[in-house]
Amino acid sequence: MDQISFVPVLAICIPAVAAVLILIFRNHPMIRESWTILASFATLACVLSMLPLVFSGAEPYAALFQILPGLSISFRADAFALIFALTSSSLWVLNSFYSIGYMQAHHGKNLTRYFFCFSVAISAALGVAFSADLLTMFIFYEILTLSTYPLVVHAESEEARMAGRKYLAYLLTAGIFFLFSVLLTYFLTGGTAFAPGGILTGQGSALLMMILFITFLIGFAKAAWIPLHSWLPSAMVAPTPVSALLHAVAVVKAGVFGIARVVFYIFGIDMVSALGLGLLLASIASFTIIVASMMALTQDNLKKRLAYSTISQLSYILLGVALLTPSGIIAALIHIPFHAFMKITLFFSAGAIIVMTGIENISEMKGIGRKMPITMLMFAIGAIGICGLPPVCGIITKWYLALGAIEAGQLIFLVVILSSSILNVLYFFPIISTAFFEKPDVDTGVHEAPLFMLIPLTITGICSVLLFLFPDWPFLTLVTIAEAIITGSVLP
Amino acid sequence: MIIDHFPVLVVVLPLVGAFVTLLAGWADRRLCFPIAMATTFIQFCISLQILSRVMQTGPLHYNLGNWLPPWGIEYVIDQLNGFVLVVILFLCVLTCLYSYRSIHSEIDEKKIPAFYTVFLLLVTGVCGIAVTGDLFNLYVFLEISSLAAYALVALGREKRSLVSSFTYLVMGSVSACFILLGIGHLYIATGTLNMADLARLLPPLYGSTVIQSAFIFFIIGLSIKTALFPLHLWLPDAYRYSPSAVTVLLASVVSKIGVYALIRILFSVFTPAFIIIEIPVMEVFCWLAAVAIIGGSVLAIAQTDLKRMLAYSSVSQMGYILLGIGIADNLAVTGGILQILNHAVMKGCLFMIAGAFIYTSGIRSIDDLRGIARTMPLTAAAFVIAAASMIGIPPTAGFMSKWFIALGALESGQWIFVLVILASSLLTAIYFWKVIEYMYFRDPGTRCAEVVSTARDPPAGMLVPILILAAACVLFGIFVSIPLEVIEPFVTGILGGI
Amino acid sequence: MIETLLPGLFLRYNYYMAVIIMLIGLYAMIAKGNLIKKIIGLNIFQTAIFLFYISSSDIIGGTAPILTSDPASVYVNPLPHVLILTAIVVAVSTTAVGLALVIRIYEAYGTIEEDELIAMEAKE
């Protein structure tokens, strides 16, 4: 049930206000950075404060204003939204510290622009999470694209600019498809508000629905499904904290989150399964899982390999959504935070290596594990988690996903999941073995990264393990509530 | 009561102001700006008052010299006029403020009184078009504003401004001749020139070839005035070689009043019943607008000069307005009229910024803008906002007009135009993003590294209008309900309820 | 067939003349390279429209519209004359502005031939 509350709006506004403050204090680096830190904590507190309400079954809701009948700017913090929001905001805190450490060690330039855009991007990601209708979501989705563009082009090199153009070309084109879908939805139903069970039922012919579904899928190119994935590896020219939080968590999760929202709250499970669209999505997702994993095998650049791994992992979420069964939904939703924690650990470690040694290629990382043991240990934890082995949280996803495939009676997807696990092992374990068991060619005086970087990556690594041991609070609880709402079943 | 004379005051005031400026200019050149500024500002206040009265009590009628219509000339102000009047005067006030600093660097000192005099004459013309309810009167005011515009274009320091002004004059006069012909045909057929009277007398005559050819004359004439795609050739040069303040006026005031005249003649003199049912001209119109939208964008991509690029972008954006009108659906027309406001605001902002670049650094070419965001941060930021609005990124104003037009196209089942609108957003993104990338993410080129590194944000007199318009780009997007409140009664009135 | 068409043609010959003059003007504007000749073309074009208006108001056997004691007198419609008076003023102003521009162009470029202007602009 809705409960009028402006806390979701507040959560979106805090980073936006922080962005303005960052601009104002652009000549005082210390004050500027402290705004980022302060804002990240405040945002997290804001999001956390909504948890008890949501646990009790209420949904904070705020409609700001109406543009046309049925068309308004509105926000709702339901359990589903909170999963994404909590993931982004909690990791933002760690990432802020890491950013400061990374930029200090890397002698970064244009830091005001960097922190400004970062805050705006987080604000937009929270906006996507909390939006209660398609139009609001579209607005924040576009802001997210634009605000992350300067971060991709941050280095201002020719390569960065090319990547930036590619980034915009893909995501703005996708935005156009998204806009078209929003228009069409509004035209068909006279509204764009999300509702469990969907709003499109009986509003148009099957063919129209299929077209709409496909334009939605293209619109959410941020989910990086193949063949709309190639912007993501290119975007890895960005500074590592950007790749870590935005291109492994906020931006790409906004894509899959959007697809999930649309499938569950615009189309509705019944229609998607009746039209066979679930199977379509599942096929795309399976294809992406396998092909992206294979592509990851061929990459020598560590960040690019991680990017392909992200592409593959994002499709786990899509596959979970596409199965349309309770366990599938749980797998999809729980993978949003779990993958975020594991992948950010991996990126943080990669960033630490790049900053301390300047090495980006895996083949040059011989023996690095001995020089930077904590970093590489955390990297190993993240890698194990992605492969779906205990004692890291990744296995929980795989478990539910496998259950979901069985519930749906689609055993073929079980094969996909298993073979992808093997591929994951194949592309991660060589890195670990190179880092720990091979001897370096020349001995250099490399040591651990500064504490500003080391502590955040240790925390995320340990969290990945803790989430395996105690998955219930808060994520699995949220996921169960969200799943109950989506499938319309009674809360346990 | 003076308040009853506001409709005529809004026209008479700048006319008197023009002469006072001319006289004052003899005494002291510095007097010209305050007079022009005060005149436009008072007019703006009057126009706001008029609009609020129209919103409360419905259309205002004012009979010049107390001659009753249809014999006398009648000024009629309904929601559409009121809205357009406020929009153009808002832009006029800001342009006047902007011109104070910019015009000194762009025209000879001794021509400044002439500039403000002609400026006020132009304002007289456009306000006259906006308030009049008489067709012939509309023609006269159209010519007043056009003549003033030719003179203003010719004020540019580069000698090519003369040639572009001449081309503009020839094209403009031909278009005026067509409009005059159209008026003549209508008069011969009905014996009246009053718009309301014409709207009453015309329906039984819709089958007549005289009426139909009158209609075609109007369409041709006004298409030249609004630079609809194949007839746009005068526009890029005129925009490129005029002084910055004049370009702003042309792009956001003169072009808008042309569109207003078109809407007035299409919907108030003729009726939707005629333009949709009797001759399938709207179909042709839509296609022309679609070609304009795409063609203008493609040509804009090819430009290397910033002002020229913006000029071609104008061709494309005016296409949106005409597409909205051409679809002739409630939502689309709403979007089209909304675009009058939005385009005036965004293009005004962009041309002011282009002028600011010329003012502070003399840079005209996009190539030379590399790295300028570092030294002119506020100007560059305003450019980003206005460009986002042109592309149609929410929550800016440009998004809202595109939304309505696209929704209208969907509602009337014309899918192809939805695709045109969406595709053109991408094309727009290409040429604007190029500029943004150059400004923000490149080091200054060797040719003008020094100019770029010493450039500063323009003085407050130029910066304030730029920032106001940039803010307006966002505000009219978020609070789109404010203009909608004005537009909707008009659209409902002519096309029936939503 | 020609017999039925001809009377109609000659009945409205004033309009056809106007159209012919108009086309002459339009031709001059497009085909002549000299800017002065273009303005002359524009003037011819405008004059054609004036004739069109004036001839439309005429009534065969009508007198000047002056108030007389005879209520049955047939007089021509005065309004088009008044309108055209205004339009002539507009046309004169346009011509004046156009000629002023031509003078300025001549001062700046030393020529008023369109093709030479284009060649000079292309060289710059």
Side-chain angles (χ1 to χ4, degrees), chain A residues 235-381:
Chain A
M236 290 298 137
V237 296
T240 310
V242 175
S243 309
L245 184 56
L246 297 176
H247 296 125
V249 182
V251 173
V252 289
K253 295 275 160 39
V256 284
F257 180 83
I259 292 182
R261 264 282 194 230
V262 165
V263 168
F264 297 140
Y265 289 78
I266 293 292
F267 282 88
I269 294 178
D270 295 339
M271 180 191 275
V272 173
S273 79
L275 292 178
L277 297 171
L279 207 57
L280 172 76
L281 183 57
S283 318
I284 293 174
S286 309
F287 182 74
T288 308
I289 291 174
I290 300 293
V291 174
S293 301
M294 287 176 178
M295 283 171 160
L297 277 175
T298 65
Q299 300 295 325
D300 191 32
N301 183 309
L302 180 56
K303 278 176 78 181
K304 290 224 163 123
R305 188 176 288 197
L306 291 178
Y308 278 105
S309 161
T310 305
I311 295 172
S312 148
Q313 292 289 314
L314 289 170
S315 279
Y316 274 56
I317 301 173
L318 293 186
L319 182 59
V321 171
L323 289 175
L324 301 172
T325 60
S327 297
I329 295 169
I330 291 179
L333 301 190
I334 200 72
H335 204 45
I336 291 178
F338 284 3
H339 173 249
F341 274 92
M342 299 183 292
K343 195 44 76 57
I344 207 167
T345 312
L346 291 170
F347 269 112
F348 278 172
S349 312
I353 295 170
I354 290 169
V355 164
M356 299 318 293
T357 67
I359 294 173
E360 293 195 16
N361 289 338
I362 295 158
S363 51
E364 296 164 26
M365 292 183 182
K366 290 173 185 160
I368 214 154
R370 295 179 208 177
K371 304 284 181 193
M372 306 172 71
I374 303 176
T375 309
M376 280 320 287
L377 181 67
M378 292 307 150
F379 186 91
I381 290 177

Side-chain angles (χ1 to χ4, degrees), chain C residues 67-74:
Chain C
L67 199 60
T68 57
S69 52
D70 176 17
S73 73
V74 178

Side-chain angles (χ1 to χ4, degrees), chain A residues 136-173:
Chain A
T136 315
M137 183 184 250
F138 174 69
I139 290 173
F140 285 103
Y141 191 83
E142 291 286 272
I143 295 175
L144 189 55
T145 307
L146 293 187
S147 60
T148 45
Y149 167 80
L151 297 172
V152 173
V153 198
H154 187 78
E156 297 188 10
S157 62
E158 193 54 41
E159 189 198 358
R161 277 196 291 270
M162 285 311 293
R165 267 176 233 164
K166 197 172 187 181
Y167 189 78
L168 275 189
Y170 272 86
L171 296 187
L172 281 185
T173 314

Side-chain angles (χ1 to χ4, degrees), chain B residues 197-481:
Chain B
D197 216 26
L198 276 168
R200 192 171 54 79
L201 291 171
L202 278 179
L205 301 169
Y206 278 162
S208 133
T209 27
V210 179
I211 301 300
Q212 289 175 357
S213 44
F215 184 72
I216 301 296
F217 283 133
F218 277 120
I219 294 277
I220 296 174
L222 289 166
S223 300
I224 299 175
K225 268 273 181 293
T226 52
L228 188 55
F229 183 63
L231 304 172
H232 70 283
L233 294 168
W234 60 268
L235 183 140
D237 274 347
Y239 281 21
R240 159 70 177 80
Y241 294 105
S242 324
S244 313
V246 177
T247 317
V248 176
L249 274 183
L250 287 181
S252 49
V253 177
V254 178
S255 66
K256 298 299 166 293
I257 207 69
V259 174
Y260 160 75
L262 187 65
I263 297 177
R264 187 50 88 197
I265 287 170
L266 284 182
F267 291 116
S268 295
V269 175
F270 296 92
T271 50
F274 175 70
I275 56 179
I276 297 163
I277 298 157
E278 286 290 334
I279 6 183
V281 69
M282 284 331 232
E283 190 103 359
V284 183
F285 214 67
C286 284
W287 281 104
L288 280 179
V291 173
I293 291 173
I294 300 290
S297 298
V298 170
L299 286 169
I301 292 173
Q303 302 305 317
T304 53
D305 183 287
L306 182 61
K307 272 175 93 174
R308 230 168 208 292
M309 183 195 95
L310 294 177
Y312 278 108
S313 150
S314 266
V315 173
S316 162
Q317 295 284 323
M318 295 296 283
Y320 282 112
I321 305 181
L322 299 173
L323 181 63
I325 298 166
I327 291 171
D329 166 274
N330 265 314
L331 288 165
V333 174
T334 307
I337 298 175
L338 195 59
Q339 174 80 347
I340 293 182
L341 164 71
N342 294 343
H343 185 243
V345 168
M346 355 190 239
K347 208 28 94 44
C349 184
L350 287 168
F351 272 121
M352 280 184 183
I353 291 168
F357 287 143
I358 296 169
Y359 179 85
T360 55
S361 61
I363 292 177
R364 286 172 174 277
S365 142
I366 297 170
D367 239 17
D368 296 341
L369 284 174
R370 290 168 207 230
I372 207 156
R374 275 166 231 165
T375 44
M376 299 175 69
L378 289 173
T379 319
F383 187 93
V384 172
I385 294 172
S389 184
M390 293 293 284
I391 301 169
I393 289 164
T396 54
F399 169 71
M400 288 303 162
S401 28
K402 281 188 190 179
W403 171 269
F404 279 105
I405 298 170
L407 208 57
L410 265 186
E411 201 172 65
S412 52
Q414 287 165 315
W415 291 74
I416 186 83
F417 297 127
V418 183
L419 299 183
V420 166
I421 291 169
L422 296 177
S424 112
S425 294
L426 276 184
L427 295 173
T428 314
I430 292 174
Y431 58 82
F432 274 114
W433 213 269
K434 184 170 127 198
V435 181
I436 292 175
E437 194 196 286
Y438 274 49
M439 289 197 311
Y440 276 92
F441 302 108
R442 278 178 192 265
D443 290 325
T446 45
R447 195 146 61 93
C448 37
E450 198 173 329
V451 188
V452 169
S453 59
T454 53
R456 289 287 169 270
D457 272 323
M462 294 168 78
L463 196 58
V464 167
I466 291 175
L467 294 181
I468 290 177
L469 287 178
C473 284
V474 179
L475 290 180
F476 284 125
I478 297 175
F479 303 105
V480 68
S481 49

Side-chain angles (χ1 to χ4, degrees), chain A residues 218-234:
Chain A
I218 298 173
F220 289 111
K222 283 202 176 89
W225 49 276
I226 294 177
L228 298 180
H229 67 287
S230 88
W231 59 272
L232 185 57
S234 309

Side-chain angles (χ1 to χ4, degrees), chain B residues 5 79 111 149 159 166 284:
Chain B
H5 294 288
Q79 288 91 348
K111 286 184 187 160
K159 56 184 181 178
F166 188 83
V284 183

